[in-house]
Amino acid sequence: MTLIQDTLEIVRKRNPHEPEFLQAVTEVLESIEPAVQRNKKYREGSLLQRLVEPERMIVFRVPWQDDRGQVQVHRGFRIQMNSAIGPYKGGLRFHPTVCASVLKFLAFEQVFKNSLTTLPMGGGKGGSDFDPKGKSDGEVMRFCQSFMTEVFRHVGPDTDVPAGDIGVGGREIGYLFGQYKRLANEFTGVLTGKGLAWGGSLIRPEATGYGCVYFAEEMLKTRNETLEDKVCAVSGSGNAAQYTVEKLLHKGAKVVTMSDSNGFIHDKDGITEEKLAWIMDLKNVRRGRIKEYADKFGAVYAEGKRPWGVECDCAFPSATQNEIGAEDAKTLLGNGCTLVCEAANMPTDPAGIDLFLSKKILYGPGKAANAGGVATSGLEMVQNSMRLPWTRAEVDQRLHQIMVTIHQNAFETAKAYGHPGNLVVGANIAGFVKVADAMLDQGVV
Ligand code: NDP
């Protein structure tokens, strides 16, 4: 057995009921093998074992009162995975599927993603099995206040800086920040994704989607192609999806699908900027379902389905983990899809990834392609520290440069380790090397 397989065996034994965490760890460890083989220092000091064990996991009760006066109880988490290169940084997810396995996979991915951004941020993730859908603003506020009442003692601008993720947008960040401020009696950059009037950064809401499209452009450049006139399938209709679609439209692409957890819409004529503005109002203000788009604009609606059966040149999974399985991947390839760029985290399962890599299509793994979100959170932290906001153009230009650098780094690293074009290997090794070297520099911690 190799060191990688030995380490995976330990992870399996120690976390037997955590399939998502095992999936993420397996993908990373197997793809960094060339770097571990080449460098003795990575095989010593139980470095890999330390890497796969969170530095700290905080699990807590979140009691709150609903509008009927009933007390509801949820479970809260903050996983502080690795602080070798900076304070823990990563989003909060509020969704019924949240559990230790999902958050540990996300925290683990975050470590390498943050390393790729070129900014000094460690990796963390948190959240709760609370579902904000169908709750009143008052209920969401009381939940957020209760969540922060516990988590505030574990976070801080130089310790751990959470942000949004599924189910946590501007509204939730506002309630969480307000409660932190009351408890800590200080106004600091403890969260990112804040409102513009109270420490937020321009472009942060757009950053995950815009960054993902900038990354796709870089991938296409390696084949002398652009996004102009490309037919694109996008999943999701939340933050990541909305701004992926917006930037694709700026680049002259035609977007024909979006979805939510109930189904997807297929608009053969393409989603225009006006239609997208309607979707943003539907999702961010009225908090309705994507089906309403089909009724409004006469598009096709497929209940309970994902959009991967629609003919497209490029696919941008932007909803959730494991939303592209082997069958979906085969269908996409069969329909002529030549680029998959992940705005979501781990949306393609291992069999799907193997298919994309074996067919040598352009495949941008989430930890590289969606790193623009956390990178711009890092830029929000910089502005908070300076107490000086940057212009929209300045933040966008920095985001663009970071995405170009991440692509170049992953591309060059893949080549240097004998896997040209394989951005899974490239991103994982490039992210790993920086974190591993920092851990080694800091001794047995
Ligand atoms: P949002 O909550 O804004 O939107 C999530 C979207 O995905 C919604 O349309 C939601 O539909 C859909 N969705 C969620 N769960 C499922 C599911 N199990 N099956 C089908 N559809 C689902 O979240 P974000 O846009 O922020 O996050 C989307 C993805 O992007 C996640 O993987 C997240 O980790 C990743 N990401 C987000 C970043 C950010 O800055 N926000 C940064 C980097 C990555 P419904 O409303 O019906 O639940």
Side-chain angles (χ1 to χ4, degrees):
M1 254 199 191
T2 66
L3 175 63
I4 301 282
Q5 292 309 323
D6 289 346
T7 309
L8 282 174
E9 193 51 33
I10 291 170
V11 179
R12 253 180 237 121
K13 282 209 176 114
R14 194 170 278 164
N15 311 278
H17 307 298
E18 299 188 352
E20 293 87 359
F21 180 54
L22 280 173
Q23 183 181 333
V25 172
T26 305
E27 184 215 281
V28 170
L29 289 196
E30 288 184 347
S31 62
I32 62 171
E33 187 148 22
V36 175
Q37 289 292 344
R38 204 177 282 186
N39 297 282
K40 187 163 165 276
K41 61 181 176 178
Y42 300 143
R43 300 196 293 275
E44 295 176 342
S46 300
L47 179 79
L48 297 184
Q49 266 195 64
R50 285 192 273 150
L51 198 68
V52 296
E53 191 62 27
E55 287 178 17
R56 189 176 298 110
M57 289 198 288
I58 301 138
V59 185
F60 50 98
R61 179 171 70 205
V62 192
W64 61 282
Q65 231 171 356
D66 67 21
D67 286 346
R68 293 169 302 138
Q70 300 287 318
V71 175
Q72 308 255 2
V73 181
H74 285 91
R75 182 172 284 177
F77 300 86
R78 187 69 187 164
I79 314 291
Q80 298 181 331
M81 196 77 199
N82 192 303
S83 61
I85 62 169
Y88 309 107
K89 179 91 197 86
L92 297 173
R93 177 175 290 193
F94 292 168
H95 193 273
T97 56
V98 161
C99 59
S101 174
V102 166
L103 293 181
K104 282 168 71 182
F105 117 63
L106 288 163
F108 189 70
E109 289 281 291
Q110 196 81 46
V111 172
F112 305 96
K113 180 191 307 193
N114 292 4
S115 164
L116 286 170
T117 65
T118 70
L119 301 173
M121 299 181 289
K125 201 85 188 186
S128 173
D129 54 3
F130 170 78
D131 189 356
K133 275 206 288 286
K135 305 287 191 305
S136 70
D137 285 353
E139 289 178 323
V140 171
M141 181 180 76
R142 289 193 293 280
F143 175 82
C144 288
Q145 289 177 339
S146 181
F147 185 91
M148 184 50 86
T149 300
E150 172 58 33
V151 100
F152 100 99
R153 71 194 82 239
H154 307 290
V155 299
D158 297 316
T159 310
D160 184 351
V161 184
D165 190 74
I166 291 178
V168 179
R171 173 182 62 169
E172 289 76 16
I173 294 290
Y175 295 147
L176 290 162
F177 183 76
Q179 185 71 351
Y180 180 84
K181 194 161 56 77
R182 288 165 80 192
L183 292 166
N185 192 28
E186 56 182 39
F187 194 113
T188 47
V190 66
L191 290 151
T192 56
K194 298 186 291 298
L196 272 185
W198 39 280
S201 172
L202 287 160
I203 297 287
R204 176 60 189 92
E206 294 89 337
T208 304
Y210 279 20
C212 181
V213 176
Y214 294 150
F215 194 87
E217 272 188 315
E218 293 308 302
M219 290 200 290
L220 285 164
K221 265 189 206 161
T222 64
R223 297 190 181 172
N224 293 320
E225 288 183 51
T226 69
L227 282 163
E228 181 97 40
D229 293 329
K230 292 270 192 304
V231 175
C232 300
V234 176
S235 65
S237 49
N239 173 271
Q242 291 171 13
Y243 290 103
T244 295
V245 173
E246 182 168 284
K247 187 51 80 177
L248 283 171
L249 297 183
H250 293 171
K251 298 290 175 185
K254 181 177 181 184
V255 180
V256 291
T257 69
M258 286 181 86
S259 70
D260 61 22
S261 48
N262 291 98
F264 80 91
I265 54 108
H266 180 198
D267 186 341
K268 286 196 182 71
D269 299 331
I271 298 170
T272 58
E273 293 204 22
E274 292 70 34
K275 290 173 178 173
L276 178 63
W278 188 90
I279 291 176
M280 287 184 175
D281 184 65
L282 172 77
K283 286 291 171 184
N284 307 343
V285 182
R286 289 185 284 133
R287 300 188 188 274
R289 311 307 303 158
I290 199 71
K291 180 179 185 302
E292 295 173 42
Y293 179 98
D295 303 335
K296 169 91 179 159
F297 297 108
V300 173
Y301 175 68
E303 176 79 22
K305 296 224 166 83
R306 299 165 180 160
W308 313 127
V310 167
E311 267 183 42
C312 63
D313 303 307
C314 308
F316 290 84
S318 313
T320 192
Q321 62 272 9
N322 293 327
E323 53 170 312
I324 299 183
E327 283 309 311
D328 300 310
K330 263 186 221 153
T331 310
L332 280 165
L333 292 168
N335 281 336
C337 177
T338 54
L339 175 146
V340 177
C341 193
E342 299 181 337
N345 281 309
M346 207 169 77
T348 311
D349 79 3
I353 296 174
D354 286 348
L355 269 169
F356 293 149
L357 293 177
S358 69
K359 296 291 176 203
K360 300 210 182 309
I361 67 161
L362 295 168
Y363 171 64
K367 77 167 65 65
N370 71 35
V374 71
T376 308
S377 277
L379 300 178
E380 184 173 328
M381 290 165 72
V382 174
Q383 294 169 79
N384 290 165
S385 299
M386 296 191 306
R387 300 186 193 280
L388 190 68
W390 288 331
T391 62
R392 195 178 161 84
E394 179 154 12
V395 182
D396 196 24
Q397 187 261 328
R398 285 177 189 269
L399 166 65
H400 185 255
Q401 187 51 50
I402 287 172
M403 297 315 297
V404 170
T405 306
I406 293 173
H407 177 268
Q408 192 177 13
N409 192 3
F411 189 82
E412 297 297 335
T413 304
K415 198 158 52 171
Y417 282 90
H419 294 267
N422 183 335
L423 298 182
V424 176
V425 167
N428 282 333
I429 293 181
F432 163 76
V433 163
K434 186 170 160 191
V435 173
D437 288 347
M439 288 173 74
L440 292 173
D441 287 346
Q442 292 168 25
V444 180
V445 287

